Amino acid sequence: QVQLQESGPGLVKPSQTLSLTCTVSGGSISSGDYYWSWIRQPAGKGLEWIGRIYISGRTNYNPSLKSRVTISVDTSKNQFSLKLTSVTAADTAAYYCAKEGAYTSPFYYFDYWGQGTLVTVST
Amino acid sequence: EIVLTQSPGTVSLSPGERATLSCRASQSVSSSFFAWYQQKPGQAPRLLIYGASRRATGIPDRFSGSGSGTDFTLTISRLEPEDFAVYYCQQYGSSPMYSFGQGTKLEIK
């Protein structure tokens, strides 16, 4: 069974870069069978998709965040990462990494999620 | 960008009752691209339904999804105490990108 675990600083200063890593276990990112996504959720609010990456390095980003987001993958560590630049208080949220359904499937959904990590943007 | 609007925002029901949650899309969505999630406090969302009507692995059959085009419904036939949570709908669209509804809170009456 696939498991995902987010890690990274819980506190980031305004204007700095938020950096998070998702470690995947129970399956290999290198298999090339899935896209891997980042999703965030401000406290008490809804879910916002940030972006995703495929093993080839191909990425897709939410247009509202695209200018500030970079998602990358490290197959040797079975990890993928998120960088969000120029953060403000509005970027304070729980950040989740998630696995999509099979790449070859006609269906689009997230079937495995990390437990989430809270990132606060504050001085 | 397709906007998903869920209704009602909050619904109060008793265990054993039937719950009907709605999600309306601002443009037509392929059923294959539509899913429902359940989220409990302090937990990550859990996939319930994908392809608008297909139950995810391990999901009880009291959960069912239906709909097409712009109107989708999640039905819980007989509420169990563990079903009280927030429910989100999700679609995958062109760009490509995903979007979620704002959520419906199902609370105990």
Side-chain angles (χ1 to χ4, degrees), chain A residues 3 8 24-26 32 35-36 43 45-46 56 68 78 84 91 93 95 99 104 106 114:
Chain A
Q3 293 185 312
V24 178
S25 58
Y35 270 96
W36 305 87
K45 296 188 178 181
S56 65
R68 299 194 292 131
N78 222 34
L84 181 65
D91 296 309
Y95 284 75
K99 169 189 159 295
T104 55

PDB file of all heavy atoms in Angstrom, chain A residues 3 8 24-26 32 35-36 43 45-46 56 68 78 84 91 93 95 99 104 106 114:
ATOM      1  N   GLN A   3       2.164   4.855   0.724  1.00  0.00           N
ATOM      2  CA  GLN A   3       2.070   5.848   1.793  1.00  0.00           C
ATOM      3  C   GLN A   3       2.858   7.085   1.394  1.00  0.00           C
ATOM      4  O   GLN A   3       3.905   6.982   0.742  1.00  0.00           O
ATOM      5  CB  GLN A   3       2.594   5.281   3.111  1.00  0.00           C
ATOM      6  CG  GLN A   3       1.735   4.157   3.670  1.00  0.00           C
ATOM      7  CD  GLN A   3       2.205   3.691   5.038  1.00  0.00           C
ATOM      8  OE1 GLN A   3       3.385   3.449   5.241  1.00  0.00           O
ATOM      9  NE2 GLN A   3       1.279   3.564   5.969  1.00  0.00           N
ATOM     10  N   GLY A   8       9.060  19.295   6.071  1.00  0.00           N
ATOM     11  CA  GLY A   8       9.559  20.624   5.780  1.00  0.00           C
ATOM     12  C   GLY A   8       9.281  21.572   6.917  1.00  0.00           C
ATOM     13  O   GLY A   8       8.584  21.203   7.883  1.00  0.00           O
ATOM     14  N   VAL A  24       7.565   9.031  -0.706  1.00  0.00           N
ATOM     15  CA  VAL A  24       6.633   7.973  -1.076  1.00  0.00           C
ATOM     16  C   VAL A  24       7.209   6.616  -0.660  1.00  0.00           C
ATOM     17  O   VAL A  24       8.380   6.324  -0.926  1.00  0.00           O
ATOM     18  CB  VAL A  24       6.372   7.987  -2.585  1.00  0.00           C
ATOM     19  CG1 VAL A  24       5.429   6.857  -2.978  1.00  0.00           C
ATOM     20  CG2 VAL A  24       5.801   9.337  -3.014  1.00  0.00           C
ATOM     21  N   SER A  25       6.406   5.811  -0.007  1.00  0.00           N
ATOM     22  CA  SER A  25       6.809   4.451   0.342  1.00  0.00           C
ATOM     23  C   SER A  25       5.732   3.482  -0.110  1.00  0.00           C
ATOM     24  O   SER A  25       4.581   3.855  -0.321  1.00  0.00           O
ATOM     25  CB  SER A  25       7.045   4.332   1.846  1.00  0.00           C
ATOM     26  OG  SER A  25       5.881   4.681   2.565  1.00  0.00           O
ATOM     27  N   GLY A  26       6.132   2.214  -0.258  1.00  0.00           N
ATOM     28  CA  GLY A  26       5.173   1.207  -0.691  1.00  0.00           C
ATOM     29  C   GLY A  26       4.933   1.207  -2.189  1.00  0.00           C
ATOM     30  O   GLY A  26       4.043   0.509  -2.670  1.00  0.00           O
ATOM     31  N   GLY A  32       6.457   5.191 -13.146  1.00  0.00           N
ATOM     32  CA  GLY A  32       5.864   5.960 -14.237  1.00  0.00           C
ATOM     33  C   GLY A  32       4.375   5.752 -14.408  1.00  0.00           C
ATOM     34  O   GLY A  32       3.813   6.099 -15.443  1.00  0.00           O
ATOM     35  N   TYR A  35       0.699  10.371 -11.755  1.00  0.00           N
ATOM     36  CA  TYR A  35       1.066  11.752 -11.479  1.00  0.00           C
ATOM     37  C   TYR A  35       1.058  11.929  -9.961  1.00  0.00           C
ATOM     38  O   TYR A  35       0.307  11.261  -9.240  1.00  0.00           O
ATOM     39  CB  TYR A  35       0.053  12.713 -12.097  1.00  0.00           C
ATOM     40  CG  TYR A  35       0.352  13.158 -13.503  1.00  0.00           C
ATOM     41  CD1 TYR A  35      -0.215  12.516 -14.598  1.00  0.00           C
ATOM     42  CD2 TYR A  35       1.182  14.256 -13.736  1.00  0.00           C
ATOM     43  CE1 TYR A  35       0.030  12.955 -15.890  1.00  0.00           C
ATOM     44  CE2 TYR A  35       1.428  14.699 -15.019  1.00  0.00           C
ATOM     45  CZ  TYR A  35       0.852  14.043 -16.100  1.00  0.00           C
ATOM     46  OH  TYR A  35       1.104  14.479 -17.378  1.00  0.00           O
ATOM     47  N   TRP A  36       1.866  12.887  -9.492  1.00  0.00           N
ATOM     48  CA  TRP A  36       1.986  13.170  -8.063  1.00  0.00           C
ATOM     49  C   TRP A  36       1.713  14.656  -7.850  1.00  0.00           C
ATOM     50  O   TRP A  36       2.319  15.500  -8.503  1.00  0.00           O
ATOM     51  CB  TRP A  36       3.382  12.790  -7.574  1.00  0.00           C
ATOM     52  CG  TRP A  36       3.721  11.362  -7.883  1.00  0.00           C
ATOM     53  CD1 TRP A  36       4.270  10.883  -9.031  1.00  0.00           C
ATOM     54  CD2 TRP A  36       3.461  10.232  -7.047  1.00  0.00           C
ATOM     55  NE1 TRP A  36       4.392   9.519  -8.961  1.00  0.00           N
ATOM     56  CE2 TRP A  36       3.905   9.087  -7.755  1.00  0.00           C
ATOM     57  CE3 TRP A  36       2.919  10.063  -5.768  1.00  0.00           C
ATOM     58  CZ2 TRP A  36       3.819   7.797  -7.225  1.00  0.00           C
ATOM     59  CZ3 TRP A  36       2.843   8.788  -5.242  1.00  0.00           C
ATOM     60  CH2 TRP A  36       3.285   7.668  -5.966  1.00  0.00           C
ATOM     61  N   ALA A  43      -6.812  26.854   7.015  1.00  0.00           N
ATOM     62  CA  ALA A  43      -7.601  26.403   8.156  1.00  0.00           C
ATOM     63  C   ALA A  43      -9.074  26.774   7.982  1.00  0.00           C
ATOM     64  O   ALA A  43      -9.403  27.933   7.710  1.00  0.00           O
ATOM     65  CB  ALA A  43      -7.053  27.000   9.444  1.00  0.00           C
ATOM     66  N   LYS A  45     -11.045  26.115   5.627  1.00  0.00           N
ATOM     67  CA  LYS A  45     -11.469  26.410   4.260  1.00  0.00           C
ATOM     68  C   LYS A  45     -11.348  25.179   3.364  1.00  0.00           C
ATOM     69  O   LYS A  45     -11.054  24.076   3.830  1.00  0.00           O
ATOM     70  CB  LYS A  45     -10.643  27.569   3.711  1.00  0.00           C
ATOM     71  CG  LYS A  45     -10.857  28.880   4.471  1.00  0.00           C
ATOM     72  CD  LYS A  45     -10.184  30.040   3.790  1.00  0.00           C
ATOM     73  CE  LYS A  45     -10.464  31.338   4.538  1.00  0.00           C
ATOM     74  NZ  LYS A  45      -9.834  32.515   3.875  1.00  0.00           N
ATOM     75  N   GLY A  46     -11.583  25.380   2.083  1.00  0.00           N
ATOM     76  CA  GLY A  46     -11.596  24.275   1.135  1.00  0.00           C
ATOM     77  C   GLY A  46     -10.226  23.929   0.581  1.00  0.00           C
ATOM     78  O   GLY A  46      -9.209  24.494   0.972  1.00  0.00           O
ATOM     79  N   SER A  56       8.567  11.900 -15.880  1.00  0.00           N
ATOM     80  CA  SER A  56       9.370  12.487 -16.948  1.00  0.00           C
ATOM     81  C   SER A  56       9.834  13.900 -16.606  1.00  0.00           C
ATOM     82  O   SER A  56      10.704  14.455 -17.276  1.00  0.00           O
ATOM     83  CB  SER A  56       8.554  12.529 -18.234  1.00  0.00           C
ATOM     84  OG  SER A  56       7.449  13.402 -18.080  1.00  0.00           O
ATOM     85  N   ARG A  68       4.717  31.311  -9.121  1.00  0.00           N
ATOM     86  CA  ARG A  68       5.482  31.162  -7.879  1.00  0.00           C
ATOM     87  C   ARG A  68       5.821  29.709  -7.540  1.00  0.00           C
ATOM     88  O   ARG A  68       6.515  29.468  -6.547  1.00  0.00           O
ATOM     89  CB  ARG A  68       4.702  31.764  -6.712  1.00  0.00           C
ATOM     90  CG  ARG A  68       4.415  33.255  -6.841  1.00  0.00           C
ATOM     91  CD  ARG A  68       3.958  33.835  -5.510  1.00  0.00           C
ATOM     92  NE  ARG A  68       2.649  33.353  -5.100  1.00  0.00           N
ATOM     93  CZ  ARG A  68       2.374  32.873  -3.893  1.00  0.00           C
ATOM     94  NH1 ARG A  68       3.323  32.796  -2.978  1.00  0.00           N
ATOM     95  NH2 ARG A  68       1.134  32.482  -3.594  1.00  0.00           N
ATOM     96  N   ASN A  78      12.916   8.593  -4.066  1.00  0.00           N
ATOM     97  CA  ASN A  78      11.469   8.341  -4.130  1.00  0.00           C
ATOM     98  C   ASN A  78      10.689   9.495  -3.499  1.00  0.00           C
ATOM     99  O   ASN A  78       9.783   9.293  -2.672  1.00  0.00           O
ATOM    100  CB  ASN A  78      11.099   7.014  -3.460  1.00  0.00           C
ATOM    101  CG  ASN A  78      10.061   6.246  -4.255  1.00  0.00           C
ATOM    102  OD1 ASN A  78      10.035   6.296  -5.486  1.00  0.00           O
ATOM    103  ND2 ASN A  78       9.188   5.541  -3.560  1.00  0.00           N
ATOM    104  N   LEU A  84       7.443  27.183  -3.242  1.00  0.00           N
ATOM    105  CA  LEU A  84       6.521  28.297  -3.453  1.00  0.00           C
ATOM    106  C   LEU A  84       7.244  29.558  -3.014  1.00  0.00           C
ATOM    107  O   LEU A  84       7.597  29.702  -1.841  1.00  0.00           O
ATOM    108  CB  LEU A  84       5.243  28.082  -2.648  1.00  0.00           C
ATOM    109  CG  LEU A  84       4.156  29.148  -2.782  1.00  0.00           C
ATOM    110  CD1 LEU A  84       3.598  29.179  -4.197  1.00  0.00           C
ATOM    111  CD2 LEU A  84       3.037  28.909  -1.761  1.00  0.00           C
ATOM    112  N   ASP A  91      -0.646  32.300   2.165  1.00  0.00           N
ATOM    113  CA  ASP A  91      -0.131  30.967   1.851  1.00  0.00           C
ATOM    114  C   ASP A  91      -0.105  30.051   3.078  1.00  0.00           C
ATOM    115  O   ASP A  91       0.276  28.878   2.968  1.00  0.00           O
ATOM    116  CB  ASP A  91       1.266  31.062   1.251  1.00  0.00           C
ATOM    117  CG  ASP A  91       1.292  31.778  -0.085  1.00  0.00           C
ATOM    118  OD1 ASP A  91       0.487  31.394  -0.956  1.00  0.00           O
ATOM    119  OD2 ASP A  91       2.076  32.722  -0.250  1.00  0.00           O
ATOM    120  N   ALA A  93      -1.342  27.432   5.364  1.00  0.00           N
ATOM    121  CA  ALA A  93      -2.288  26.353   5.081  1.00  0.00           C
ATOM    122  C   ALA A  93      -1.687  25.004   5.488  1.00  0.00           C
ATOM    123  O   ALA A  93      -0.491  24.912   5.760  1.00  0.00           O
ATOM    124  CB  ALA A  93      -2.612  26.302   3.587  1.00  0.00           C
ATOM    125  N   TYR A  95      -0.576  21.649   3.919  1.00  0.00           N
ATOM    126  CA  TYR A  95      -0.150  21.236   2.581  1.00  0.00           C
ATOM    127  C   TYR A  95      -0.136  19.714   2.521  1.00  0.00           C
ATOM    128  O   TYR A  95       0.472  19.052   3.378  1.00  0.00           O
ATOM    129  CB  TYR A  95       1.225  21.803   2.263  1.00  0.00           C
ATOM    130  CG  TYR A  95       1.205  23.276   1.921  1.00  0.00           C
ATOM    131  CD1 TYR A  95       1.041  24.238   2.915  1.00  0.00           C
ATOM    132  CD2 TYR A  95       1.302  23.720   0.602  1.00  0.00           C
ATOM    133  CE1 TYR A  95       0.984  25.591   2.614  1.00  0.00           C
ATOM    134  CE2 TYR A  95       1.251  25.070   0.293  1.00  0.00           C
ATOM    135  CZ  TYR A  95       1.083  25.995   1.299  1.00  0.00           C
ATOM    136  OH  TYR A  95       1.027  27.337   0.990  1.00  0.00           O
ATOM    137  N   LYS A  99      -1.360  11.182  -4.481  1.00  0.00           N
ATOM    138  CA  LYS A  99      -1.119  10.376  -5.678  1.00  0.00           C
ATOM    139  C   LYS A  99      -2.409  10.321  -6.498  1.00  0.00           C
ATOM    140  O   LYS A  99      -3.503  10.134  -5.957  1.00  0.00           O
ATOM    141  CB  LYS A  99      -0.714   8.965  -5.262  1.00  0.00           C
ATOM    142  CG  LYS A  99      -0.690   7.937  -6.378  1.00  0.00           C
ATOM    143  CD  LYS A  99      -0.501   6.552  -5.826  1.00  0.00           C
ATOM    144  CE  LYS A  99      -0.975   5.485  -6.786  1.00  0.00           C
ATOM    145  NZ  LYS A  99      -2.437   5.558  -7.020  1.00  0.00           N
ATOM    146  N   THR A 104      -2.758   5.668 -17.053  1.00  0.00           N
ATOM    147  CA  THR A 104      -3.464   5.161 -18.236  1.00  0.00           C
ATOM    148  C   THR A 104      -4.970   5.062 -18.019  1.00  0.00           C
ATOM    149  O   THR A 104      -5.705   4.674 -18.926  1.00  0.00           O
ATOM    150  CB  THR A 104      -2.932   3.770 -18.609  1.00  0.00           C
ATOM    151  OG1 THR A 104      -3.039   2.923 -17.455  1.00  0.00           O
ATOM    152  CG2 THR A 104      -1.477   3.849 -19.038  1.00  0.00           C
ATOM    153  N   PRO A 106      -8.854   6.326 -17.473  1.00  0.00           N
ATOM    154  CA  PRO A 106      -9.649   7.465 -17.952  1.00  0.00           C
ATOM    155  C   PRO A 106     -10.196   8.316 -16.798  1.00  0.00           C
ATOM    156  O   PRO A 106     -10.817   9.342 -17.038  1.00  0.00           O
ATOM    157  CB  PRO A 106     -10.792   6.791 -18.702  1.00  0.00           C
ATOM    158  CG  PRO A 106     -10.962   5.485 -17.996  1.00  0.00           C
ATOM    159  CD  PRO A 106      -9.571   5.055 -17.613  1.00  0.00           C
ATOM    160  N   GLY A 114      -0.994  12.198   1.775  1.00  0.00           N
ATOM    161  CA  GLY A 114      -0.214  12.299   2.984  1.00  0.00           C
ATOM    162  C   GLY A 114      -1.091  12.831   4.110  1.00  0.00           C
ATOM    163  O   GLY A 114      -2.234  13.228   3.877  1.00  0.00           O
TER     164      GLY A 114
END
